[in-house]
Protein backbone atom coordinates (compact mmCIF):
# COMPACT_ATOMS: atom_id res chain seq x y z
CA UNK A 1 0.00 0.00 0.00
CA UNK A 2 1.16 3.51 -0.84
CA UNK A 3 0.70 6.18 1.82
CA UNK A 4 1.01 9.86 0.87
CA UNK A 5 2.14 12.49 3.37
CA UNK A 6 1.85 16.24 2.90
CA UNK A 7 4.75 18.12 4.43
CA UNK A 8 7.36 20.74 3.56
CA UNK A 9 10.96 20.77 2.34
CA UNK A 10 12.41 20.36 5.84
CA UNK A 11 11.29 16.74 6.04
CA UNK A 12 14.31 14.42 6.26
CA UNK A 13 12.81 11.84 3.88
CA UNK A 14 12.18 14.51 1.25
CA UNK A 15 15.78 15.71 1.55
CA UNK A 16 17.07 12.14 1.05
CA UNK A 17 14.84 11.59 -1.99
CA UNK A 18 15.95 14.89 -3.52
CA UNK A 19 19.58 13.84 -3.04
CA UNK A 20 18.80 10.64 -4.98
CA UNK A 21 17.02 12.70 -7.66
CA UNK A 22 20.00 15.03 -8.01
CA UNK A 23 22.36 12.07 -8.42
CA UNK A 24 20.10 10.64 -11.11
CA UNK A 25 19.78 13.98 -12.95
CA UNK A 26 23.51 14.64 -12.81
CA UNK A 27 23.96 11.62 -15.08
CA UNK A 28 21.05 12.48 -17.41
CA UNK A 29 21.70 16.25 -17.66
CA UNK A 30 25.46 15.99 -17.94
CA UNK A 31 27.06 19.40 -18.50
CA UNK A 32 23.73 21.20 -18.07
CA UNK A 33 23.16 19.87 -14.54
CA UNK A 34 24.61 22.95 -12.83
CA UNK A 35 22.31 25.24 -14.85
CA UNK A 36 19.21 23.35 -13.73
CA UNK A 37 20.40 22.98 -10.13
CA UNK A 38 20.31 26.73 -9.55
CA UNK A 39 16.51 26.67 -10.04
CA UNK A 40 15.86 23.69 -7.78
CA UNK A 41 16.60 24.94 -4.28
CA UNK A 42 14.25 23.05 -2.04
CA UNK A 43 14.22 25.60 0.79
CA UNK A 44 11.49 27.56 -1.06
CA UNK A 45 9.16 24.54 -1.25
CA UNK A 46 6.39 24.70 1.33
CA UNK A 47 4.15 22.09 -0.33
CA UNK A 48 5.73 18.64 -0.53
CA UNK A 49 4.22 15.18 -0.95
CA UNK A 50 6.16 12.07 0.02
CA UNK A 51 5.04 8.57 -0.96
CA UNK A 52 5.73 5.68 1.40
CA UNK A 53 5.56 1.99 0.56
CA UNK A 54 5.68 -0.22 3.66
CA UNK A 55 6.83 2.82 5.67
CA UNK A 56 9.80 3.38 3.32
CA UNK A 57 10.00 6.66 1.36
CA UNK A 58 9.86 5.78 -2.36
CA UNK A 59 8.89 9.00 -4.13
CA UNK A 60 8.23 12.69 -3.81
CA UNK A 61 7.04 15.83 -5.51
CA UNK A 62 6.43 19.44 -4.61
CA UNK A 63 5.05 22.70 -5.89
CA UNK A 64 5.66 26.37 -5.44
CA UNK A 65 3.62 29.36 -6.48
CA UNK A 66 4.36 30.38 -10.08
CA UNK A 67 1.90 33.29 -10.17
CA UNK A 68 -1.44 34.05 -8.54
CA UNK A 69 -3.26 31.41 -10.62
CA UNK A 70 -0.60 28.73 -11.17
CA UNK A 71 1.83 26.52 -9.30
CA UNK A 72 5.04 25.07 -10.65
CA UNK A 73 5.53 21.34 -10.04
CA UNK A 74 9.05 20.63 -8.75
CA UNK A 75 11.27 17.75 -7.65
CA UNK A 76 9.12 14.86 -8.91
CA UNK A 77 10.97 11.62 -8.30
CA UNK A 78 10.31 7.92 -7.78
CA UNK A 79 13.08 5.53 -6.83
CA UNK A 80 14.11 3.56 -9.92
CA UNK A 81 13.25 0.19 -8.40
CA UNK A 82 9.73 1.41 -7.53
CA UNK A 83 8.76 2.79 -10.95
CA UNK A 84 5.92 1.46 -13.05
CA UNK A 85 3.41 0.84 -10.25
CA UNK A 86 1.67 4.24 -10.17
CA UNK A 87 3.54 6.00 -7.39
CA UNK A 88 4.35 9.12 -9.44
CA UNK A 89 0.72 9.36 -10.59
CA UNK A 90 -0.50 9.28 -7.00
CA UNK A 91 2.02 11.98 -5.98
CA UNK A 92 1.18 14.26 -8.89
CA UNK A 93 -2.57 13.90 -8.37
CA UNK A 94 -2.14 14.73 -4.67
CA UNK A 95 -0.08 17.83 -5.57
CA UNK A 96 -2.75 18.93 -8.06
CA UNK A 97 -5.50 18.38 -5.47
CA UNK A 98 -3.57 20.38 -2.87
CA UNK A 99 -2.97 23.23 -5.32
CA UNK A 100 -6.67 23.24 -6.19
CA UNK A 101 -7.56 23.39 -2.47
CA UNK A 102 -5.41 26.54 -2.30
CA UNK A 103 -7.43 28.04 -5.21
CA UNK A 104 -4.80 27.65 -7.93
CA UNK A 105 -6.19 27.03 -11.41
CA UNK A 106 -3.25 25.52 -13.32
CA UNK A 107 0.03 23.68 -12.94
CA UNK A 108 3.15 24.32 -15.02
CA UNK A 109 6.39 22.41 -15.02
CA UNK A 110 9.67 21.90 -16.83
CA UNK A 111 11.46 18.68 -17.62
CA UNK A 112 14.38 17.76 -19.82
CA UNK A 113 13.89 16.28 -23.29
CA UNK A 114 16.36 13.52 -22.35
CA UNK A 115 14.05 12.46 -19.52
CA UNK A 116 11.92 10.42 -21.91
CA UNK A 117 10.03 8.63 -19.10
CA UNK A 118 9.09 11.97 -17.52
CA UNK A 119 7.92 13.47 -20.83
CA UNK A 120 5.72 10.42 -21.48
CA UNK A 121 4.42 10.50 -17.89
CA UNK A 122 3.34 14.15 -18.00
CA UNK A 123 1.57 13.66 -21.33
CA UNK A 124 -0.22 10.61 -19.87
CA UNK A 125 -1.26 12.75 -16.88
CA UNK A 126 -2.95 15.33 -19.14
CA UNK A 127 -0.20 17.92 -19.40
CA UNK A 128 0.27 19.76 -22.71
CA UNK A 129 3.52 21.12 -24.06
CA UNK A 130 3.68 24.92 -23.94
CA UNK A 131 6.35 27.41 -25.02
CA UNK A 132 9.27 27.37 -22.60
CA UNK A 133 8.79 29.89 -19.83
CA UNK A 134 11.04 31.97 -17.59
CA UNK A 135 14.60 30.73 -17.20
CA UNK A 136 13.91 27.84 -19.62
CA UNK A 137 12.95 30.10 -22.55
CA UNK A 138 16.07 29.54 -24.66
CA UNK A 139 17.13 26.15 -23.30
CA UNK A 140 17.00 23.53 -26.05
CA UNK A 141 16.93 20.58 -23.64
CA UNK A 142 13.89 21.89 -21.75
CA UNK A 143 10.25 21.04 -22.36
CA UNK A 144 7.58 22.97 -20.48
CA UNK A 145 4.08 21.72 -19.75
CA UNK A 146 0.78 23.06 -18.42
CA UNK A 147 -2.43 21.53 -17.10
CA UNK A 148 -5.68 23.13 -15.98
CA UNK A 149 -6.88 21.94 -12.57
CA UNK A 150 -10.44 20.79 -13.15
CA UNK A 151 -11.84 19.45 -9.91
CA UNK A 152 -15.57 19.36 -9.04
Amino acid sequence: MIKLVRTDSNHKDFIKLVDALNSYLKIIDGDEHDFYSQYNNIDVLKHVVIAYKNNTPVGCGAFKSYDIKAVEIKRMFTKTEERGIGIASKILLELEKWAHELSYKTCVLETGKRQVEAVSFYKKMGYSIIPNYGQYKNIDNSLCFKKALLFP
Side-chain angles (χ1 to χ4, degrees), residues 85-121:
I85 58 171
I87 294 170
S89 299
K90 288 178 180 4
I91 293 168
L92 186 56
L93 289 171
E94 185 69 14
L95 290 168
E96 291 171 356
K97 182 180 169 190
W98 197 358
H100 177 74
E101 290 169 7
L102 296 172
S103 300
Y104 289 100
K105 305 297 182 209
T106 58
C107 293
V108 297
L109 62 89
E110 180 276 342
T111 194
K113 290 178 183 175
R114 292 182 219 121
Q115 295 174 42
V116 179
E117 293 168 320
V119 171
S120 175
F121 168 71

Side-chain angles (χ1 to χ4, degrees), residues 1-4 51-56 58 85 87 90:
M1 187 177 100
I2 303 300
K3 179 177 133 188
L4 300 177
Y52 291 86
K53 181 179 170 188
N54 302 323
N55 296 318
T56 300
V58 293
I85 58 171
I87 294 170
K90 288 178 180 4

